[in-house]
Amino acid sequence: MTLPKVAKIRQKFQTESIKDIPGAIGEQFLHVNADEKIKPGMEIAITVGSRGIANIPLIVKSVADEIKKRGASPFIIPAMGSHGGATAEGQIEVLEGLGVTEESTGCEIRSSMDVVEVGKTSDGVPVYIDKNAYQADGIIVMGRVKPHTDFKNKVESGVLKMASIGMGKHKQALALHTHGIKGISEMMPEVGKVAIANSNTLFGIAIVENAHEETAIIEAIEKDRVEERERELLKEAFALMPSLPVENMDILVVDEIGKNYSGTGMDTNIIGRIRVLGVEEPQKPSVKYVIASNLSEASHGNALGIGLADLTTKRLFEKVDYQAMNENVITSTFLARASIPIILDNDQEALKAALRANWGVSPEKARIARIPNTLHIGELYVSEVIFNELKDKENIEVLEDLHEMKFDENGYFLPM
C-alpha cells in the first residue's frame, strides 16, 4: 500500500502569556490581602493536581515562597481523586512526573488517602477533605480552569473541581462518580463550595492557559467568589482554547496519550469523542479513526483514554498498568474509556489498517493529521489533501514541505 505524503505545519495563535510568574503571583497575594490571612507559624496546604499544567513547578514554588515571606510553612497535598492508582505513593509519583518535587518547589509533600467528612450537600452527598489539608491552618486551593472533557456546564474543570474531587481524594471521587455524569457535572460544584466553606480555605488560585499551553492568567480569588469568578474565567478559557486546523479527518494519529496531557488521556475537545453514556457526542471535529501510538512515561502505566482510540500499537499495549488504569476508570464509571482497541505491531501497520477501512477513499486522498499529543497541537503533520487546503492561510506556517512518511526500523513514526 502506498502511503500519502505529509507536510509539517505550525498553527499561529493570537496569544499573550505571563512572563514574570513569581511577580504575578506576588501581586495576586496582595490582591486577596494575604498578609491578613497568612500569619507567622501557620501551616498552609497547597493543592496540586495531576494535570500537565504549564510552569506548574514554578507556580507552586512561587506560591510557597509567598507563604514563606509571611513567616508561614507551606506544604503540598496531591489533589487528584483516584489518580496514581488511588495510593499515597502513586500520587507522589504523579507529581514527580510533572516535575513537582520537594526539591523543585522548596516545600514538603504530604500525601495520604485519608479524608475527613466536613458536611453534606443539599442532595445528601457527603463532602470529604484530605486529612492533612483539613488539619492545616490554611488551604490554598489551586487549579487550572478549562473546558472539561466529560461534560459542558457553567462550571467545569477548575478550583471547585480541585476543592471537591481533588481534595476529597478517592472517597469523594467514588461518592460523585456513583451518580454518573450528573455527579461531576451538577453535584461537583456544590461539593466544592461545601468543602471550601467548611474548611480553613484561605482563597483559590485559578490558572488559565492560552492556545500555546502557556500561562495566560493567574488569579487569586476570595473564597466566597470562587464560583462566580470561575464561571467568567471558563468563558475566557474557551476563547483561548486551541483546536485542530481542520474539522473533518479520516485518520488522526496521536503520538502519545497520557494523564499529563488530559485527565482522559486524550482531550475529548480536541479529538471530538466523549464516549460517556448519556452524553451526546460532539459534532466536530469529525474523525473516522483515531490511532493511539504510545503512552507517556508520566502516566505510570495508566492508559485511561485508550478506549477513545480505534487502533493502538503493541508498544502502548505493553506499557499498560491495568491496576492503575482500572482503578481510575472504575472510579469514574466511564468504562468505555479503558476498552482496548485493535492492537497492531506498530504505527505503520495501524495506519495501513485504518486506510484499509477508509471506505471509498484512496490512500493518497486520505485526510490524515498527526499530533504529538492532545495538549500540544500547535505543530502537526498533515496529509497532502489537508496541506493543500491550509498552506496559503495566514495562520499557517509551513515547517516541512510534502515528503514521504518516515518510520524507524521498528515501523514507528520518527519523533516530531
Side-chain angles (χ1 to χ4, degrees):
M1 179 184 290
T2 302
L3 300 178
K5 291 182 178 181
V6 292
K8 189 176 185 180
I9 62 172
R10 176 187 290 134
Q11 299 189 80
K12 299 176 186 177
F13 302 110
Q14 296 297 320
T15 57
E16 293 183 0
S17 62
I18 297 173
K19 306 304 181 187
D20 179 12
I21 286 174
I25 289 174
E27 291 178 5
Q28 289 301 309
F29 265 63
L30 296 176
H31 177 70
V32 291
N33 299 312
D35 290 343
E36 298 179 8
K37 296 178 173 69
I38 302 173
K39 301 298 182 182
M42 292 176 68
E43 285 197 325
I44 309 296
I46 308 168
T47 68
V48 183
S50 60
R51 304 297 186 254
I53 299 173
N55 303 307
I56 190 61
L58 177 59
I59 291 172
V60 177
K61 183 181 186 301
S62 301
V63 171
D65 287 346
E66 289 297 323
I67 293 169
K68 291 176 184 177
K69 285 179 186 178
R70 291 158 175 84
S73 300
F75 68 91
I76 295 166
I77 62 159
M80 54 185 75
S82 63
H83 299 173
T87 68
E89 298 76 17
Q91 297 199 343
I92 289 178
E93 289 182 3
V94 171
L95 291 183
E96 289 174 348
L98 302 174
V100 177
T101 64
E102 294 186 351
E103 291 73 25
S104 68
T105 61
C107 58
E108 179 187 359
I109 297 175
R110 299 180 189 174
S111 183
S112 169
M113 302 306 292
D114 294 335
V115 293
V116 176
E117 184 174 341
V118 297
K120 285 184 169 61
T121 68
S122 58
D123 287 326
V125 176
V127 177
Y128 303 102
I129 288 182
D130 175 278
K131 187 175 181 180
N132 288 318
Y134 181 76
Q135 293 175 341
D137 300 303
I139 306 169
I140 296 174
V141 184
M142 184 168 64
R144 178 178 58 188
V145 176
K146 66 169 293 188
H148 202 279
T149 53
D150 298 337
F151 65 90
K152 296 291 171 266
N153 210 331
K154 293 179 180 179
V155 170
E156 297 182 18
S157 286
V159 176
L160 285 176
K161 182 166 179 274
M162 290 295 288
S164 55
I165 297 176
M167 281 208 298
K169 314 293 278 194
H170 189 210
K171 200 164 186 177
Q172 191 70 73
L174 286 171
L176 284 173
H177 283 299
T178 296
H179 297 276
I181 198 65
K182 179 182 178 181
I184 56 173
S185 65
E186 299 176 29
M187 297 177 173
M188 175 271 290
E190 187 181 357
V191 169
K193 288 191 289 184
V194 173
I196 288 172
N198 294 359
S199 67
N200 291 326
T201 295
L202 303 178
F203 52 88
I205 294 181
I207 303 163
V208 178
E209 294 179 353
N210 63 28
H212 286 296
E213 297 84 44
E214 299 166 334
T215 309
I217 299 170
I218 298 177
E219 183 173 322
I221 310 171
E222 295 286 1
K223 61 186 292 184
D224 59 352
R225 292 193 64 242
V226 167
E227 181 180 24
E228 171 194 351
R229 187 62 186 134
E230 190 169 322
R231 291 184 178 204
E232 297 167 347
L233 288 172
L234 180 60
K235 294 177 183 177
E236 296 189 44
F238 264 112
L240 291 171
M241 188 175 178
S243 61
L244 293 171
V246 290
E247 294 182 353
N248 295 297
M249 288 156 278
D250 295 315
I251 301 166
L252 174 64
V253 180
V254 182
D255 282 3
E256 275 195 348
I257 69 172
K259 299 292 290 186
N260 53 317
Y261 303 127
S262 172
T264 48
M266 291 186 282
D267 191 325
T268 61
N269 297 292
I270 300 300
I271 66 173
R273 295 182 176 187
I274 293 179
R275 292 189 175 171
V276 170
L277 287 173
V279 178
E280 186 177 352
E281 292 293 323
Q283 293 186 348
K284 58 183 184 180
S286 173
V287 183
K288 291 180 186 175
Y289 299 107
V290 174
I291 298 173
S293 173
N294 205 355
L295 179 64
S296 69
E297 293 301 321
S299 292
H300 301 284
N302 185 349
L304 176 66
I306 192 172
L308 295 170
D310 303 288
L311 305 101
T312 190
T313 66
K314 279 187 176 180
R315 175 175 64 182
L316 193 160
F317 180 70
E318 290 171 355
K319 291 182 178 181
V320 177
D321 179 335
Y322 296 99
Q323 181 177 354
M325 180 175 71
N326 293 348
E327 187 69 55
N328 197 176
V329 74
I330 292 170
T331 297
S332 75
T333 72
F334 306 148
L335 304 184
R337 291 177 170 180
S339 300
I340 305 298
I342 297 172
I343 303 164
L344 282 302
D345 283 343
N346 50 43
D347 290 335
Q348 196 167 20
E349 294 305 314
L351 185 59
K352 287 180 179 178
L355 287 168
R356 172 85 176 91
N358 193 24
W359 301 332
V361 180
S362 61
E364 64 271 16
K365 297 294 184 183
R367 301 177 62 81
I368 302 173
R370 177 186 162 213
I371 56 177
N373 53 70
T374 57
L375 183 61
H376 305 104
I377 61 172
E379 294 185 9
L380 66 156
Y381 283 98
V382 294
S383 61
E384 187 170 359
V385 175
I386 295 177
F387 177 66
N388 288 332
E389 293 175 4
L390 298 176
K391 64 181 180 179
D392 296 324
K393 292 192 173 183
E394 289 185 4
N395 67 321
I396 298 295
E397 177 185 356
V398 178
L399 301 179
E400 297 176 13
D401 213 335
L402 286 167
H403 59 271
E404 302 293 336
M405 292 186 182
K406 298 175 183 178
F407 301 91
D408 64 19
E409 64 276 11
N410 296 313
Y412 289 101
F413 282 112
L414 294 178
M416 293 187 71

